[in-house]
Amino acid sequence: MFKKERLTKTIDDIFLMRFSGHIGIGLMFFVILVGFGFTTLAPYFATKHLSTKIQTDTDELVKTHIQNIGDYQEFITNLSRNFDFTCSEKEQEQLRRIAYSNYLIRKISLTPSGKSTCSSFYEKNHGQHVESRKIKTYGNMMSLWLSSEKNSLQRIFEVRWQGSKGSLVLSLEPIVEEILRNKYCEGCVLTSISADNELDRLGWQGDNKSYTAEPIYEVLMPNGLKFSNYIKLELLDKESQLLRMPLFLAGAFIAGFLILLRRLFIRRRLSLHALVQRGIVKREFVPYYQPIINLKAKELYGCEVLARWKKKGAGLISPMEFIPYVEKSGQIIPITNLLIEKAIKDLSTINWQLTDRVISINLVPQQLENIQIMNESLALFSNSKIPIKQVAFEITERKQFEDLTIASEVIQYLKAQGIDIKLDDAGTGYGGFSYIQELNLRSLKIDKMFVENIGTTDIKLSLLDSIIAFGKQAGMEMIAEGVETKEQSDYLVERDVYLQQGYYFGMPMNAEEFSIYNIEIKNKNKLLAI
């Protein structure tokens, strides 16, 4: 045995060394490939990074703008109440004082009806507008305009108010667009304003094709306006170049980490496979027995054989730790045969053969699709005291059959020898109740996920009732699993489900514990306590 273990370990080590050698060559290529793959995301991350910076700066500038100006209509209406529209020296001084006190106001112009314009500037004609275009109108009194001063590419945002005594024009400093335009590089941000779904470039004139087609950030302004920021493609490219190396390193790190995880997974899988194989050789897998009670007859119907791994130095290992793996690896087949062999010996000592009680043994579809595998399992009963007719095989619906035609032929072969086939975990897996029809099954086990909802309002309770109704109509034998309370048991009995299994009647037991349980059941002590 020691030499065999050494040989298995040596084979595993050689495989891992050869695997490591191949990975060593492929690792560099994979890491570089993933690293370069991450660099293709540079424009995306550059856009996100610039969007975050521009959003922060824009929101701060807009917040300041709103705090100082607020609603344009309300601001200019309140402003108009300060004037009699005479353009007197007193009013001109007042214009200058208001403009001086608010740094967002470039100029205030006042025009009395039929008279000349006066403004907050001392120069009479300073900053005369040569081009103006209306962008939005609010009622009969206020409108928003874009104006360009003579000999200047800069465009000024204006709020105009018209009353019975005259008009008032508020020219605002383009502080948002001016600060953002050159903050990151010269002319790198283009700010536009939209009103009534019409887009107009504000504060910049030039080739718009050199900017992003879509705004990198947008923010709402008072009176239904919206500022949109576009960035120069040159800035985006520069930011992308700066991010390429960090992204390459990040991609390389992630690739290396994934390969490491993969190697650890393979090593663990190989180790688990070897451990299971050694467990089979050492016969460490043992059967545990969970009773199935017939509440109508008040007696023991049978038991389900459950796998446990009793590993030396590790105690009893739960089936959830190894069953999913051994089902995939195919090691479930020798484990099943080992359980059958031990179950025959255990149950023979308590004269199971003198009763008509059932031994339920779990199988996977792979076993029922191979007549040779099944014959090897059945051969274990040839020299035993327990007759084959006391055996029932349970096939889980959670696993999918690859060939239902072959499975059906094998099942018919088993039935011909008096072996019952039960559908386990009914209603939870691939086949649904089509398996019952296609495989001609007459027994089913109701999964505990339905039983545990008895006494609740969960929708699965109605599914439980549907499964029971189906079983009755089809004349099927039904066993309810996972019964843990008297309430659940009574609910099932009221619906004629008398065969029940679960902790309420007894948890899985080793051979010695089940022998004692069998005596108590025989003397009715256990049933009277339920």
Side-chain angles (χ1 to χ4, degrees):
M1 189 68 67
F2 175 75
K3 290 182 178 180
K4 187 168 186 178
E5 289 181 8
R6 285 286 302 274
L7 177 61
T8 304
K9 184 178 187 302
T10 301
I11 292 172
D12 289 347
D13 291 343
I14 291 173
F15 179 82
L16 285 172
M17 288 173 64
R18 295 180 65 181
F19 176 79
S20 299
H22 288 113
I23 283 297
I25 298 172
L27 175 62
M28 187 66 68
F29 176 75
F30 182 72
V31 167
I32 292 173
L33 184 65
V34 174
F36 277 115
F38 267 60
T39 61
T40 61
L41 300 175
Y44 171 80
F45 285 106
T47 302
K48 290 295 183 183
H49 178 60
L50 290 172
S51 174
T52 301
K53 291 202 300 186
I54 291 174
Q55 176 182 350
T56 301
D57 293 336
T58 302
D59 287 347
E60 186 63 32
L61 292 170
V62 168
K63 180 181 177 181
T64 301
H65 183 90
I66 293 174
Q67 286 176 345
N68 286 272
I69 302 297
D71 183 89
Y72 300 131
Q73 190 168 6
E74 181 180 352
F75 185 87
I76 200 167
T77 300
N78 291 335
L79 189 62
S80 68
R81 296 192 181 105
N82 295 311
F83 303 100
D84 293 325
F85 291 86
T86 61
C87 265
S88 62
E89 287 293 329
K90 180 180 178 182
E91 286 195 334
Q92 290 185 49
E93 179 61 29
Q94 192 173 10
L95 287 173
R96 288 190 286 271
R97 187 171 60 252
I98 294 173
Y100 179 78
S101 64
N102 192 327
Y103 73 95
L104 291 179
I105 299 176
R106 169 172 287 202
K107 183 176 67 173
I108 305 175
S109 300
L110 188 150
T111 305
S113 299
K115 296 183 181 181
S116 300
T117 300
C118 58
S119 74
S120 55
F121 281 100
Y122 285 105
E123 294 82 1
K124 184 176 180 181
N125 295 317
H126 181 81
Q128 183 177 2
H129 298 145
V130 296
E131 181 186 356
S132 296
R133 188 163 72 85
K134 185 188 297 184
I135 60 172
K136 192 173 181 67
T137 301
Y138 299 89
N140 298 322
M141 301 186 71
M142 192 190 85
S143 58
L144 302 180
W145 295 68
L146 288 176
S147 298
S148 299
E149 296 180 351
K150 189 176 182 180
N151 299 323
S152 174
L153 293 176
Q154 191 179 74
R155 303 167 76 187
I156 306 303
F157 186 55
E158 292 185 344
V159 183
R160 299 187 182 186
W161 180 89
Q162 179 67 49
S164 58
K165 295 181 180 181
S167 63
L168 192 64
V169 179
L170 182 66
S171 301
L172 301 176
E173 292 283 1
I175 185 170
V176 176
E177 54 273 20
E178 279 297 305
I179 291 177
L180 291 177
R181 185 174 67 182
N182 299 313
K183 181 167 184 178
Y184 312 104
C185 64
E186 186 176 353
C188 280
V189 179
L190 171 65
T191 303
S192 67
I193 186 171
S194 59
D196 296 329
N197 297 321
E198 292 183 2
L199 189 67
D200 194 3
R201 303 295 186 186
L202 174 65
W204 183 260
Q205 293 179 352
D207 183 14
N208 294 336
K209 293 181 180 179
S210 61
Y211 293 87
T212 54
E214 298 296 328
I216 197 169
Y217 180 63
E218 295 181 316
V219 61
L220 292 176
M221 295 287 289
N223 302 92
L225 301 181
K226 180 170 66 176
F227 273 115
S228 302
N229 291 320
Y230 300 78
I231 58 172
K232 214 168 191 177
L233 297 175
E234 179 184 337
L235 175 62
L236 182 60
D237 183 63
K238 181 180 178 181
E239 190 72 20
S240 297
Q241 292 298 332
L242 292 174
L243 289 174
R244 288 187 187 279
M245 181 53 69
L247 285 172
F248 176 84
L249 294 176
F253 174 79
I254 292 173
F257 182 71
L258 289 176
I259 288 176
L260 177 61
L261 286 181
R262 174 64 176 168
R263 293 186 68 181
L264 291 173
F265 172 76
I266 291 176
R267 182 178 292 275
R268 180 183 181 278
R269 186 177 65 182
L270 290 172
S271 299
L272 180 58
H273 188 92
L275 287 172
V276 169
Q277 195 61 37
R278 292 167 195 164
I280 294 171
V281 172
K282 291 183 176 182
R283 302 174 65 84
E284 293 175 343
F285 295 92
V286 296
Y288 266 52
Y289 308 94
Q290 186 169 33
I292 304 171
I293 304 298
N294 185 336
L295 291 174
K296 187 174 185 179
K298 298 293 183 180
E299 63 183 16
L300 184 65
Y301 167 85
C303 65
E304 180 178 358
V305 178
L306 302 169
R308 295 293 186 270
W309 188 358
K310 198 171 184 179
K311 183 170 176 57
K312 185 177 180 181
L316 201 64
I317 299 176
S318 167
M320 295 304 298
E321 297 292 326
F322 64 91
I323 288 295
Y325 175 77
V326 298
E327 286 182 344
K328 293 179 181 178
S329 68
Q331 291 170 304
I332 188 66
I333 296 172
I335 290 175
T336 300
N337 288 340
L338 184 57
L339 295 177
I340 291 175
E341 185 180 342
K342 290 187 176 184
I344 290 172
K345 181 179 178 181
D346 292 341
L347 297 177
S348 295
T349 60
I350 59 174
N351 295 319
W352 194 268
Q353 66 276 10
L354 300 180
T355 70
D356 57 358
R357 295 170 185 169
V358 174
I359 310 170
S360 285
I361 301 167
N362 291 288
L363 299 179
V364 294
Q366 180 185 356
Q367 292 167 281
L368 282 170
E369 292 174 328
N370 191 312
I371 188 66
Q372 183 178 348
I373 291 176
M374 290 310 308
N375 277 330
E376 289 175 0
S377 298
L378 296 179
L380 298 172
F381 288 91
S382 60
N383 296 322
S384 72
K385 295 179 180 179
I386 297 177
I388 198 76
K389 64 180 181 180
Q390 285 186 267
V391 176
F393 288 131
E394 297 183 12
I395 53 172
T396 178
E397 192 186 345
R398 296 181 190 273
K399 303 295 180 181
Q400 192 171 15
F401 280 93
E402 293 183 4
D403 195 324
L404 281 173
T405 302
I406 294 177
S408 179
E409 293 174 357
V410 174
I411 288 173
Q412 293 309 311
Y413 170 77
L414 295 174
K415 284 183 176 180
Q417 299 186 60
I419 299 173
D420 187 26
I421 308 296
K422 303 180 187 297
L423 179 65
D424 197 9
D425 309 316
T428 64
Y430 288 95
F433 291 102
S434 63
Y435 279 178
I436 294 175
Q437 182 177 359
E438 295 184 49
L439 300 177
N440 192 25
L441 304 179
R442 306 309 305 163
S443 301
L444 64 84
K445 297 190 77 173
I446 302 170
D447 192 80
K448 65 180 180 180
M449 69 176 287
F450 300 109
V451 174
E452 65 187 9
N453 288 288
I454 292 174
T456 72
T457 58
D458 194 288
I459 190 173
K460 287 193 283 293
L461 185 60
S462 61
L463 294 175
L464 170 63
D465 292 337
S466 299
I467 293 171
I468 293 173
F470 172 85
K472 283 183 178 179
Q473 186 175 1
M476 301 186 71
E477 175 191 73
M478 290 180 287
I479 302 174
E481 293 183 296
V483 180
E484 297 184 354
T485 66
K486 186 176 187 302
E487 179 185 11
Q488 294 171 349
S489 180
D490 291 344
Y491 184 93
L492 293 164
V493 168
E494 289 172 4
R495 287 154 181 78
D496 300 329
V497 181
Y498 297 105
L499 301 181
Q500 298 179 19
Q501 174 184 349
Y503 280 18
Y504 181 60
F505 306 102
M507 62 178 59
M509 312 169 208
N510 60 31
E512 184 180 352
E513 292 168 339
F514 189 65
S515 176
I516 297 172
Y517 183 93
N518 189 62
I519 295 172
E520 292 177 341
I521 283 288
K522 187 176 180 180
N523 295 331
K524 302 294 183 179
N525 295 335
K526 180 63 68 173
L527 285 171
L528 289 173
I530 295 173

